[in-house]
Amino acid sequence: MKRILLAATAALLLSACDMGPDPVAGAGEALDLPDVADGTLSEETMKRVTERLSSDEFEGRAPGTAGEEKTVAYLIEEFEKAGLEPGNDGSWVQDVPLVEITGKDYAPLTIAGGKGGAMELDYATDWVGVSYREEVQTTLEDSELVFVGYGINAPEKGWNDYAGLDMAGKTAVILVNDPDFGSETLDGPFGGKAMTYYGRWTYKYEEAGRQGAAAAIIIHDTAPAAYGWNVVESSWSGPQAYAARGDNPPPMTQINGWVQKTVAEKILQAAGKQLGALTEAARKKGFKAVPLGLTASTSFRNDVRSFASKNVIGVLPGSERADEYVMHTAHWDHLGRCTPAPDGDDICNGAVDNATGTAALVALAEAHAKAGPTQRSLVFLAVTAEESGLLGADYYAANPVFPLNRTVGGINMDAFLMGGAAKDVTVVGPGKSQLDLFLDKALMNDDRVTTPNPNPEAGYYYRSDHFAFAKRGVPMLYLDGGEDLVDGGKKAGAAVQAEYRDERYHGPKDEYDPNWDWSGVMSDLALFYRIGRMLGESTSWPNWNEGDEFKATRDEDCAVENAGCGA
């Protein structure tokens, strides 16, 4: 679940991309925040689409399966019925080339060379691992284990956990999150309490590959990971989809995986080390990696297949500035069939995550079409393979149907919890862009407020599809349901989140419930509608705020003569 941080935007009046010779407006220019009427949003559409997409008929909507074929066909039908036009030059879809690798016949992960003799770790129970390489056999033999702290190489911060190391043939043992985890403030070299991208598992595996490591094993810990081992086990076993890498792929390890914290503690004890002491040392600048004097060995086979998954794209063309685009995104995919399978049910239906967000695309498209076109074009993009690492969104952003420097900004929707109406709304990544001002305006008559995120250390800003656009400069707003429920307050809100996270997230129990309370979802959907409508009618080009890591990219795109940000 994607949770957030407080947005303090009431006093902001910052630079914006705008029409004119210099597409980046100067500081002090007010944004055009038009008044818009509320839309006619259908709760029945939300229920109908969510129930259908999360039914067993769709088999968990895994990319490259019969479930995908049914999902794509159903979304095309719903987009067309809602009043959209095909978004990709007459086609409803964009092909996304993927590779699926399914590991099987796993040998134990054997740790040798330590006190007490060799340790044999059982797959799934003690560790999980996959290969990103398109090879039928993966073998790791007597690979030296090296504890590399948080596995970060950040020259701009003067931080390199791999300094002086030759990792060729070795296995990196890595801590989850980043060195500032546990901070009570938002100050620190890695963002303080709020996780940076350096804390994400995707980065850690990429960096280990760049360093030439044979394998990368992250030590799982529930608090800094923000999810339990059950999520790792279900997400990292079975078929794994990856973006096709072409003829010159980036350097990759042979194995990327996770190990249980309790198991990691035993491994380190066998090397004469303590996990707690190593963790404290790794948080300090100048940390030196620690060879453990142990080796790791394992092997498994891989079934490899290439296939084209699909993003589904619909558009409501603009009435006056049809070549300027407002993006709405949600991922249609989920995990398909997954393990473990309690009570024999192996379908991860993904009702909340993310049949709800996909249904929201349909409901919003329907409402905007009924209200008539805005001046700008409204795009509705249902992306594939989010659960595999934002692959569909990243492919679209790298190969955009609508140019990114003609994309004004947008909103992302991922997993609506059914807790009922809330007194607040949460914003993933508040204070980052001028889209916060659109949110403030949209909230004016709602009698709701933004609220602080209880765990910004989870790094949710980097964990959903909006990130693929943000890192390429497009401002994207990502909202989540409130923490403070009308019925039961913050205690009830926390209970709803905990129940979903602990019992249903990425598991077979994330199923549609006809008794759900949709009131909070519909309030949030009304907010999304107003924001999208305002962006569609506005003449402004919202930018990232000064100091944000994505502003330079947007400014560069905006500066392209006769091409960017309305120029």
Side-chain angles (χ1 to χ4, degrees):
M1 296 306 300
K2 288 70 176 180
R3 294 285 162 200
I4 64 149
L5 200 54
L6 177 65
T9 58
L12 290 177
L13 193 61
L14 301 173
S15 62
C17 291
D18 207 343
M19 307 290 286
D22 179 0
V24 183
E29 284 192 25
L31 291 177
D32 174 23
L33 304 173
D35 294 321
V36 297
D38 284 342
T40 305
L41 293 157
S42 171
E43 183 174 321
E44 178 55 37
T45 295
M46 288 294 295
K47 290 179 178 179
R48 175 176 55 80
V49 176
T50 300
E51 181 177 18
R52 180 76 186 279
L53 285 174
S54 60
S55 67
D56 284 357
E57 174 191 356
F58 288 76
E59 301 178 64
R61 306 188 307 280
T65 67
E68 167 171 0
E69 293 179 12
K70 292 177 181 179
T71 300
V72 170
Y74 179 64
L75 286 179
I76 291 172
E77 176 186 326
E78 288 295 327
F79 275 10
E80 187 169 23
K81 187 164 61 177
L84 300 183
E85 297 181 8
N88 186 12
D89 194 23
S91 173
W92 287 102
V93 300
Q94 177 189 44
D95 285 341
V96 179
L98 298 178
V99 173
E100 181 185 83
I101 304 177
T102 306
K104 62 182 183 180
D105 302 331
Y106 280 84
L109 178 62
T110 302
I111 308 298
K115 302 174 183 178
M119 301 170 59
E120 288 197 348
L121 309 182
D122 293 331
Y123 178 76
T125 303
D126 299 324
W127 77 288
V128 292
V130 297
S131 179
Y132 289 3
R133 298 186 181 185
E134 297 168 32
E135 299 172 350
V136 297
Q137 178 70 33
T138 297
T139 301
L140 187 71
E141 187 172 359
D142 296 328
S143 174
E144 180 184 343
L145 292 178
V146 182
F147 178 79
V148 297
Y150 290 91
I152 294 171
N153 178 20
E156 77 281 7
K157 298 180 184 295
W159 194 290
N160 186 1
D161 289 328
Y162 291 97
L165 286 179
D166 178 2
M167 287 298 296
K170 300 175 183 178
T171 294
V173 180
I174 311 170
L175 295 169
V176 71
N177 213 295
D178 63 38
D180 284 348
F181 176 77
S183 170
E184 293 303 318
T185 72
L186 296 178
D187 297 319
F190 289 90
K193 187 176 182 180
M195 184 200 289
T196 65
Y197 187 54
Y198 290 115
R200 292 287 292 136
W201 57 263
T202 47
Y203 166 79
K204 296 175 188 292
Y205 293 147
E206 290 165 2
E207 187 59 43
R210 285 189 287 267
Q211 296 291 333
I217 305 294
I218 297 174
I219 299 172
H220 175 265
D221 190 356
T222 298
Y227 40 76
W229 181 257
N230 62 309
V231 174
V232 175
E233 183 180 355
S234 63
S235 301
W236 288 76
S237 57
Q240 305 287 309
Y242 309 105
R245 292 175 171 86
D247 296 332
N248 297 297
M252 291 176 282
T253 62
Q254 293 172 250
I255 298 174
N256 289 322
W258 296 76
V259 65
Q260 289 255 39
K261 180 182 178 182
T262 54
V263 175
E265 289 173 335
K266 293 177 182 178
I267 294 172
L268 293 173
Q269 287 171 6
K273 309 293 182 183
Q274 296 294 323
L275 178 59
L278 287 176
T279 299
E280 285 303 312
R283 289 177 174 171
K284 297 178 174 63
K285 193 171 185 178
F287 165 77
K288 300 295 184 184
V290 180
L292 297 178
L294 307 174
T295 61
S297 302
T298 192
S299 64
F300 52 91
R301 294 183 57 76
N302 299 300
D303 288 336
V304 181
R305 74 181 179 102
S306 299
F307 65 100
S309 188
K310 289 177 170 55
N311 292 330
V312 184
I313 312 172
V315 62
L316 188 63
S319 60
E320 296 185 26
R321 287 171 277 129
D323 63 344
E324 298 175 6
Y325 307 97
V326 177
M327 189 65 61
H328 301 73
T329 59
H331 71 91
W332 60 255
D333 67 296
H334 199 56
L335 303 177
R337 296 184 180 273
C338 54
T339 56
D343 304 320
D345 182 4
D346 69 344
I347 297 179
C348 280
N349 300 83
V352 168
D353 183 16
N354 186 32
T356 57
T358 311
L361 285 178
V362 176
L364 286 171
E366 184 179 76
H368 282 296
K370 286 180 179 178
T374 58
Q375 295 185 36
R376 288 165 164 160
S377 296
L378 305 183
V379 179
F380 299 85
L381 174 64
V383 296
T384 184
E386 187 269 356
E387 302 290 5
S388 301
L390 317 183
L391 303 183
D394 200 64
Y395 184 83
Y396 175 92
N399 304 273
V401 172
F402 307 107
L404 297 188
N405 60 5
R406 307 297 301 176
T407 302
V408 176
I411 54 179
N412 181 52
M413 298 171 288
D414 193 350
F416 291 85
L417 277 182
M418 302 295 169
K423 303 172 187 177
D424 59 343
V425 64
T426 52
V427 186
V428 182
K432 295 183 69 63
S433 82
Q434 293 173 318
L435 290 179
D436 287 347
L437 297 173
F438 285 82
L439 170 61
D440 287 348
K441 176 70 177 288
L443 273 171
M444 284 179 63
N445 298 320
D446 263 14
D447 197 27
R448 286 196 294 169
V449 297
T450 54
T451 195
N453 181 20
N455 56 341
E457 63 274 18
Y460 291 125
Y461 191 77
Y462 309 102
R463 292 168 58 172
S464 193
D465 297 302
H466 63 281
F467 179 58
F469 292 86
K471 69 182 180 180
R472 292 174 173 88
V474 179
M476 294 288 289
L477 190 63
Y478 181 27
L479 304 181
D480 206 351
E483 308 273 346
D484 189 2
L485 301 185
V486 171
D487 186 7
K490 295 180 180 179
K491 183 177 180 181
V496 169
Q497 295 171 37
E499 187 277 333
Y500 178 75
R501 180 186 64 242
D502 298 339
E503 301 296 331
R504 294 186 287 140
Y505 177 57
H506 278 206
K509 293 183 180 180
D510 185 5
E511 297 180 306
Y512 180 82
D513 185 344
N515 297 314
W516 274 340
D517 180 352
W518 288 82
S519 58
V521 173
M522 297 310 295
S523 293
D524 292 341
L525 201 62
L527 196 59
F528 285 125
Y529 176 86
R530 291 183 211 122
I531 293 167
R533 201 81 188 167
M534 290 167 63
L535 285 168
E537 297 287 3
S538 177
T539 58
S540 294
W541 286 76
N543 202 344
W544 302 94
N545 291 335
E546 292 294 340
D548 191 84
E549 67 259 50
F550 306 125
K551 189 175 188 300
T553 301
R554 185 60 163 185
D555 289 347
E556 184 177 343
D557 282 349
C558 287
V560 175
E561 186 176 1
N562 297 322
C565 299

